[in-house]
Amino acid sequence: MERDAIWVGTSWKMNKGPAASVAAANELARMSFPAAIQPFVIPPFTSLKDVCDRLSGSRVAVGAQNMHWQDEGAWTGEISPTMISECGAELVEIGHSERRTYFGETDQTVNLKVHAALRHGLRPLVCIGDTADEYSYSVTNETLARQLKIALHGVSEDDVPQVLIAYEPVWAIGASGRPADAAFVERTHNHLRKILINIAGSSAGSAVKLLYGGSVTQDNAAGYVALPHVNGVFVGRAAWNVEHFQALAEGVIA
Ligand code: PGA
């Protein structure tokens, strides 16, 4: 995986069964991406191994959408870090707002999962974000500071740069979301960088990749990536089609 690259990735969320995922992965394996971009895709669990197999040796990194923090045990319906690494994934998404809102993910379980991922050599992609209410009461910075500090609690300075952070305002995600304006994203990412430096020191804190997500499109992606402390974008709907994904990735540095 490219460390200095701009990260452009998509979670397919609950879309693409095994056949559609394999078809998409085969197309992605044939595509070229600019050297400055680190592309990644996050398929559903039912396709994780197939997509990893198809994309192994390609430029595209693969991740899982969630995981449990234990290696094994009586946790019906859950997937362990060992299972995810055995599939060949390099990344694991943790704490997406849909998991926090609908499936009981908390800051504490995010922290347990971050430690589990690092123990297993998986790079955690931790999603943090303010709700519409938090935004309207102007407590975005406080909310994000809490989420980030708890997510990284107990993580060593050496390990902190392994963690990717995606700032995704809950009010910006999905069909009823509205994309955040650039000036707001700039202020917020600046705030996040300061917290990271505070937690992990200047060198490790500055090395963490900070992605923006929430209604990112081919039209607005380059504008976000041009901002200081925005090291990539995490995209949903606008990147589920693989040609659109490639075009968005190319457009980011055009
Ligand atoms: P969206 O989703 O781009 O469809 O708004 C973003 C996300 O949930 O990461």
Side-chain angles (χ1 to χ4, degrees):
M1 284 187 272
E2 305 286 335
R3 287 193 187 261
D4 295 324
I6 293 161
W7 288 65
V8 178
T10 179
S11 162
W12 292 340
K13 303 194 181 185
M14 200 174 72
N15 296 289
K16 299 192 201 294
S21 292
V22 166
N26 284 338
E27 260 192 90
L28 285 166
R30 285 192 294 269
M31 285 177 168
S32 65
F33 289 89
I37 300 288
Q38 172 58 64
F40 65 95
V41 291
I42 307 195
F45 283 125
T46 45
S47 325
L48 185 60
K49 178 152 190 338
D50 283 342
V51 172
C52 287
D53 287 349
R54 301 277 177 320
L55 290 175
S56 114
S58 83
R59 295 275 329 284
V60 185
V62 182
Q65 295 184 14
N66 180 33
M67 68 171 196
H68 199 273
W69 57 88
Q70 296 277 356
D71 291 0
E72 60 189 7
W75 299 99
T76 300
E78 290 292 316
I79 304 288
S80 76
T82 354
M83 294 169 185
I84 290 170
S85 13
E86 201 179 320
C87 286
E90 294 169 271
L91 306 169
V92 59
E93 182 181 352
I94 297 172
H96 188 274
S97 76
E98 287 148 18
R99 306 262 0 136
R100 292 180 191 256
T101 306
Y102 303 114
F103 301 104
E105 187 84 277
T106 64
D107 291 331
Q108 287 73 19
T109 57
V110 166
N111 178 248
L112 289 168
K113 293 176 183 191
V114 166
H115 282 280
L118 292 168
R119 259 196 324 272
H120 288 271
L122 295 162
R123 289 192 75 169
L125 168 59
V126 176
C127 302
I128 56 174
D130 47 332
T131 62
D133 275 354
E134 287 160 342
Y135 177 81
S136 70
Y137 288 115
S138 302
V139 293
T140 295
N141 283 354
E142 289 83 348
T143 300
L144 298 180
R146 188 199 75 234
Q147 292 177 341
L148 193 51
K149 285 180 182 174
I150 298 180
L152 295 179
H153 184 76
V155 175
S156 73
E157 261 178 51
D158 284 352
D159 280 343
V160 164
Q162 289 302 312
V163 182
L164 301 146
I165 304 291
Y167 169 50
E168 303 200 293
V170 180
W171 43 268
I173 293 174
S176 53
R178 63 168 180 87
D181 65 69
F184 176 78
V185 174
E186 180 171 354
R187 278 200 308 280
T188 308
H189 276 236
N190 200 24
H191 168 70
L192 293 173
R193 182 66 72 203
K194 283 191 189 135
I195 297 169
L196 286 167
I197 289 173
N198 208 277
I199 293 174
S202 169
S203 162
S206 306
V208 174
K209 297 287 183 186
L210 277 174
L211 282 56
Y212 172 75
S215 291
V216 172
T217 63
Q218 282 184 49
D219 293 334
N220 63 21
Y224 290 127
V225 167
L227 300 170
H229 305 299
V230 177
N231 312 113
V233 279
F234 190 30
V235 193
R237 292 154 297 149
W240 288 340
N241 169 299
V242 283
E243 274 94 25
H244 295 172
F245 176 60
Q246 186 191 35
L248 195 149
E250 282 173 345
V252 152
I253 49 150

